[in-house]
Amino acid sequence: MNQTILHSTIFFTAYGPPGPVNYTAFFLTFLLFFITIFSNISLMLVIYLESRLHKPMYIFLFNLAVNGLIGCLSVCPKIMDNLVNDIKDISQKGCLLQVFFSSVYALCAYVILAVMAYDRFVSICKPLQYHSIMTPSKVKMLLALVYLFPITMLAFQMFITSRLPVCSYNINKLFCDNLAVVKLSCVESALSNLYGICVIASLVVLPFVLVVLSYIKILLVCLKVSKESRKKALNTCAPHLITFINFSTAILFSVIYNRHSTVSKEVNVLISVHFILFPPLVHPIIYGIRTKEIRTCITKIIRTRIFPNSLNFPHLKSEPKLVPIMTLDGTAAGQGLPV
C-alpha cells in the first residue's frame, strides 16, 4: 500500500559525500547567509528608526526585507547541515514546510515588487494625488493582499501535495520544491498540475504584467517632462527596476532548473544559491547604494547612535586658556574665564 508524503523521509542526492568541496561550499554558503541576514536586518532597522522613512515605498521595502529573511531561514540552515553530514535527509513534514516557506518567499516577493511598482506609478504619474491615493489604510490593504492571497493559495497547494501517494524518496536537489515533491508520487495529479498553473498565473504572471504596464506608463510620462524631471524620476525608479529584473532572472532560472532536475552538481548549487540567497543579499545593497534618502539616514544613524563621540577627537583638544578677570583698579580678581 502506497503511503503519502506525510509518512515518509526524503533523501537529497545532489550533495555528495562530506569533503573539501562540501566544506568550501558550507563556508561560502554560511558567509553569504550571514551577510544576507545582516544586510536585511540593518535595512529594516534603518527604516524602523528613521521617521522620515515611514512612507509607503519604504514600508514596502521593509516587507521585502522581511520576506528575504523568510526565504533564507527556510532553506539555508538545512543546506548547510546537509553539506557536512553523512546522511542528507529531511522529514516529510520538514520538506513540506520548506516548500511552503520558500514558495511564500518567492511569490510574496513578486507581489511586493508589483505593489512597489504601483507606488512608483502613482508617485510619478499622479504626484499631486499621491497622498490622497496612497493613504495609510490603502497601504495596509495592499500589505494584507501581499501576504493573505499568496499564503492562502500556497496552503491549499501544500494540502493537495501532502495527499499524494509516494513511490520514490530521492530528490536530486539541495532543498525541497513543490514540483520535485509532486514527482515523487506514484500517480500524476491533474488537480495538482492545474492548481500549480493557477498559482503561477496569479502570483507570477499577473504581477509581472502589472509591473511592465506600470513602467510603460512611467516611461511615457517621463518622455513628456523636462530632462531634469526625467532624470529624477528614473533615479527614483532605478533601485526597484534593478531589484525586479534581478528577482525575475532568479525566478526564470529556478523554473528552468525545476523542469530539468538532471543537472550537474555545480549548476545545482549555483541555481539554488541564486534563487535563495542572491536576491535577498543584493536588494538591501541596491537600495542602500542607489537611494539617497536611505544613504543619508544610514550615515545619520552611524554618527548619532553607533559612534556618537567618534568625531570629537578628544586627544586633539588643547587645554583651554584662562584669561584673568580684572577689577576696576587693574588687579586680578580670580583665575578667569576659559577661551
Side-chain angles (χ1 to χ4, degrees):
M1 182 177 179
N2 296 322
Q3 57 182 350
T4 65
I5 189 65
L6 288 176
H7 300 90
S8 59
T9 300
I10 309 300
F11 296 91
F12 299 103
T13 61
Y15 284 93
V21 175
N22 278 23
Y23 295 142
T24 302
F26 172 87
F27 173 77
L28 293 176
T29 303
F30 175 79
L31 182 62
L32 291 174
F33 176 72
F34 176 80
I35 297 174
T36 300
I37 298 296
F38 175 79
S39 60
N40 280 277
I41 291 179
S42 298
L43 180 63
M44 290 163 58
L45 285 174
V46 170
I47 295 174
Y48 175 78
L49 293 174
E50 288 298 318
S51 58
R52 64 188 291 186
L53 297 180
H54 295 176
K55 303 173 184 177
M57 181 178 74
Y58 300 112
I59 293 173
F60 298 140
L61 180 57
F62 181 95
N63 283 269
L64 188 64
V66 171
N67 195 65
L69 292 179
I70 292 174
C72 290
L73 293 172
S74 66
V75 172
C76 291
K78 187 59 181 176
I79 288 180
M80 290 186 287
D81 179 65
N82 286 335
L83 284 170
V84 295
N85 287 330
D86 293 326
I87 300 176
K88 332 292 186 177
D89 64 344
I90 188 171
S91 67
Q92 65 285 355
K93 293 181 181 179
C95 186
L96 287 176
L97 285 173
Q98 198 175 71
V99 172
F100 176 75
F101 284 108
S102 61
S103 299
V104 165
Y105 150 71
L107 299 179
C108 285
Y110 227 61
V111 179
I112 292 172
L113 290 171
V115 170
M116 293 174 75
Y118 171 72
D119 175 76
R120 292 299 84 203
F121 163 75
V122 176
S123 175
I124 294 172
C125 300
K126 300 180 179 181
L128 299 179
Q129 300 173 323
Y130 179 80
H131 293 290
S132 62
I133 295 175
M134 299 300 294
T135 60
S137 59
K138 181 73 167 290
V139 172
K140 292 177 182 177
M141 184 195 71
L142 291 173
L143 287 176
L145 291 175
V146 160
Y147 290 106
L148 291 179
F149 191 50
I151 288 175
T152 302
M153 294 191 71
L154 289 171
F156 186 67
Q157 186 179 50
M158 292 302 97
F159 174 76
I160 296 174
T161 302
S162 67
R163 309 308 299 171
L164 296 175
V166 178
C167 290
S168 177
Y169 305 95
N170 294 331
I171 294 179
N172 187 35
K173 294 183 178 180
L174 299 183
F175 60 91
C176 297
D177 64 71
N178 189 65
L179 184 59
V181 175
V182 168
K183 287 182 178 179
L184 299 178
S185 176
C186 311
V187 297
E188 185 173 347
S189 172
L191 176 61
S192 178
N193 292 336
L194 180 61
Y195 190 77
I197 293 173
C198 292
V199 170
I200 295 298
S202 302
L203 301 177
V204 176
V205 177
L206 180 59
F208 179 86
V209 172
L210 292 176
V211 172
V212 172
L213 290 177
S214 297
Y215 274 103
I216 290 175
K217 290 280 189 180
I218 290 172
L219 183 60
L220 291 176
V221 170
C222 289
L223 292 176
K224 299 177 182 179
V225 298
S226 64
K227 185 177 180 180
E228 183 178 350
S229 299
R230 186 186 311 133
K231 182 180 179 181
K232 183 178 179 181
L234 294 177
N235 284 337
T236 303
C237 294
H240 176 264
L241 191 57
I242 295 171
T243 300
F244 175 71
I245 294 172
N246 172 56
F247 197 77
S248 298
T249 304
I251 290 288
L252 178 62
F253 282 145
S254 179
V255 169
I256 296 174
Y257 164 66
N258 288 336
R259 299 295 173 181
H260 301 83
S261 58
T262 57
V263 297
S264 66
K265 181 180 177 181
E266 292 75 14
V267 174
N268 204 329
V269 172
L270 179 62
I271 296 298
S272 300
V273 170
H274 184 246
F275 171 66
I276 289 296
L277 278 177
F278 195 65
L281 172 64
V282 300
H283 293 170
I285 297 174
I286 290 172
Y287 274 93
I289 294 175
R290 298 284 305 182
T291 307
K292 182 179 179 180
E293 204 164 7
I294 291 181
R295 291 201 311 268
T296 303
C297 290
I298 291 174
T299 303
K300 177 185 173 183
I301 289 174
I302 292 174
R303 295 179 62 180
T304 60
R305 295 175 183 264
I306 301 178
F307 302 110
N309 300 318
S310 61
L311 299 180
N312 291 336
F313 302 112
H315 61 284
L316 297 179
K317 291 183 177 180
S318 58
E319 292 295 330
K321 296 180 180 179
L322 298 178
V323 177
I325 300 176
M326 307 301 292
T327 62
L328 292 176
D329 58 359
T331 60
Q335 289 185 342
L337 299 174
V339 296

